[in-house]
Amino acid sequence: MRTRPLKVALLGCGVVGSEVARIMTTHADDLTARIGAPVELAGVAVRRPSKVRAGIDPALVTTDATALVKRGDIDVVVEVIGGIEPARTLITTAFEHGASVVSANKALLAQDGAALHAAAEKHGRDLYYEAAVAGAIPLIRPLRESLAGDKINRVMGIVNGTTNFILDKMDSTGAGYQEALDEATALGYAEADPTADVEAFDAAAKAAILAGIAFHTRVRLDDVYREGMTEVTAADFASARGMGCTIKLLALCERAADGGSVTARVHPAMIPLTHPLASVRGAYNAVFVESDAAGQLMFYGPGAGGSPTASAVLGDLVAVCRNKLGGATGPGESAYTQLPVSPMGDVVTRYHISLDVADKPGVLAQVATVFAEHGVSIDTVRQSGKDGEASLVVVTHRASDASLAGTVEALRGLDTVRGVSSIMRVEGE
């Protein structure tokens, strides 16, 4: 066993970074045995050096992250500061000065993953990022290593714990969106500004990463269709229950049936209560993978938090250190298929549409005619109402997003249709 330690630079010492440092210290002997050499925390870059950080030698703390990653003796840089800059520049600088990188930065990887992989390859370094998607759940490595010999056709999952907590609370208690969000904030599941979560920016970044790995093609954040969940109502959950479904904010990455393109999208959807993802409660994450040979797989566990995310970071750190000792690098970017990303209009799925209509003879026939004229086949219809007003719920067979959009526009033009109260996709069947 090598006695000279591998030196680690830590960029960021917040909730995740402090847990990484703690585990490196408390599990030092185990990490040494697993890696084959000691690992030593050689520096910690922070914004506020005066803050007391338990268990970290103040002499290691610096505000000069650039100087830290430029040190020629650093073997691995762990980046947990998030955001685009300065993280991007610090990571590429680390590669240039001989260090491999472990990152949890989903936003940066979704936007500039190809460039970061190219920089790592140019300098013969590793870029690992298990913690960027689904926290402690082993997902990135199984997709790019364990399933490397298989053909993945679909990845569908709950990849944001905040939104899952809110939707689960709305489903189980009948709470409205704002009430459920307030509880999530009080319990620490939601940030003071929850926009990145509830408007699905966080989940969209993760979908881009998952799609790129699963389909061996480059998928950027801009390629992902994104729809938040702030418009989901208690009435939507009531409709879902009537269909034997619940509602989840899903990240869906699919290969086209002909294999010639892929899609990546994030939006609320109804899923049957019989689907494994329907039982994912609270702030937990789960990802459902469908492939040719392995069939259906589900990965489940805590998707955020200091300790779970640090667990994923440390797993990558062990792997990168082992590679360093062996004089090798792990798998880099695989984008050989170069498949185009289809627009949302081409996506085919089922839809649940709630209409407010006049309660009089002939309305249903008018509505059915509009669906037929746009080539959208109806699966079921449910109508209820009184005193001249009615609610009409239509569930379609599979249709493209573009054809459904044309249908809804035409429906709004009918004088018997007072409004379209909700439109939601139905997945998982």
Side-chain angles (χ1 to χ4, degrees):
M1 179 179 291
R2 174 173 136 169
T3 56
R4 183 168 62 84
L6 293 161
K7 295 191 175 184
V8 178
L10 179 61
L11 308 183
C13 198
V15 174
V16 175
S18 60
E19 274 298 290
V20 170
R22 183 189 67 79
I23 294 171
M24 285 184 64
T25 301
T26 59
H27 295 182
D29 291 342
D30 287 337
L31 291 173
T32 297
R34 293 166 191 170
I35 292 169
V39 286
E40 174 187 305
L41 189 59
V44 182
V46 300
R47 286 184 296 178
R48 296 183 294 275
S50 59
K51 181 179 178 181
V52 176
R53 294 171 172 86
I56 296 177
D57 183 351
L60 298 179
V61 177
T62 178
T63 58
D64 194 344
T66 300
L68 179 59
V69 299
K70 282 184 175 181
R71 281 174 47 177
D73 63 334
I74 298 297
D75 296 290
V76 183
V77 169
V78 174
E79 183 271 309
V80 288
I81 57 177
I84 305 302
E85 287 292 356
R88 174 171 49 198
T89 298
L90 291 170
I91 289 173
T92 55
T93 301
F95 291 144
E96 292 165 2
H97 287 79
S100 290
V101 173
V102 172
S103 176
N105 196 331
K106 52 189 171 288
L108 178 58
L109 289 158
Q111 178 172 305
D112 290 320
L116 295 178
H117 276 293
E121 183 177 2
K122 176 182 177 180
H123 296 285
R125 305 303 167 195
D126 273 324
L127 173 61
Y128 276 53
Y129 43 91
E130 184 67 64
V133 180
I137 304 172
L139 183 59
I140 300 298
R141 194 172 293 117
L143 287 179
R144 72 176 184 175
E145 296 183 34
S146 303
L147 296 174
D150 205 345
K151 179 184 177 184
I152 297 173
N153 297 309
R154 194 177 204 221
V155 178
M156 178 172 75
I158 299 162
V159 295
N160 183 278
T162 300
T163 54
N164 198 59
F165 177 90
I166 293 170
L167 292 172
D168 181 42
K169 186 61 61 174
M170 292 175 70
D171 187 23
S172 61
T173 69
Y177 165 74
Q178 189 60 51
E179 183 183 353
L181 173 59
D182 290 344
E183 182 172 350
T185 303
L187 293 173
Y189 293 128
E191 301 287 344
D193 179 1
T195 302
D197 295 322
V198 300
E199 294 295 352
F201 290 101
D202 174 87
K206 295 170 182 176
I209 295 169
L210 291 174
I213 296 171
F215 306 132
H216 304 277
T217 200
R218 285 177 178 167
V219 179
R220 299 181 74 250
L221 180 58
D222 292 345
D223 296 320
V224 181
Y225 172 82
R226 178 190 56 79
E227 182 182 322
M229 42 76 71
T230 57
E231 301 302 317
V232 176
T233 66
D236 291 325
F237 275 101
S239 294
R241 283 191 290 272
M243 293 177 57
C245 292
T246 188
I247 298 171
K248 297 293 186 182
L249 183 75
L250 297 179
L252 297 110
C253 312
E254 295 178 293
R255 188 192 300 269
D258 63 4
S261 64
V262 299
T263 59
R265 50 196 168 102
V266 177
H267 53 71
M270 294 182 180
I271 58 171
L273 294 174
T274 54
H275 194 282
L277 290 177
S279 62
V280 178
R281 310 299 299 271
Y284 274 71
N285 284 193
V287 178
F288 200 72
V289 178
E290 300 176 23
S291 68
D292 276 1
Q296 298 179 333
L297 307 168
M298 192 168 89
F299 301 83
Y300 169 84
S307 293
T309 305
S311 171
V313 169
L314 267 296
D316 278 351
L317 178 63
V318 169
V320 169
C321 287
R322 286 172 174 170
N323 291 343
K324 186 86 173 181
L325 290 179
T329 55
E333 183 189 33
S334 176
Y336 73 91
T337 62
Q338 298 182 343
L339 295 173
V341 181
S342 296
M344 188 62 188
D346 293 346
V347 171
V348 175
T349 188
R350 298 179 67 206
Y351 289 87
H352 176 282
I353 305 103
S354 295
L355 305 172
D356 298 321
V357 300
D359 186 16
K360 62 182 184 180
V363 174
L364 181 55
Q366 283 185 320
V367 169
T369 297
V370 170
F371 275 88
E373 288 174 347
H374 288 82
V376 179
S377 176
I378 294 175
D379 182 18
T380 62
V381 178
R382 186 173 71 252
Q383 184 172 357
S384 62
K386 60 181 180 179
D387 299 328
E389 299 297 329
S391 174
L392 190 65
V393 175
V394 178
V395 179
T396 74
H397 287 292
R398 292 175 66 82
S400 71
D401 193 78
S403 64
L404 197 282
T407 303
V408 171
E409 183 178 358
L411 288 170
R412 288 191 169 110
L414 296 177
D415 58 7
T416 53
V417 175
R418 310 294 193 227
V420 180
S421 55
S422 74
I423 303 170
M424 191 166 294
R425 297 167 184 88
V426 182
E427 302 286 350
E429 294 185 330

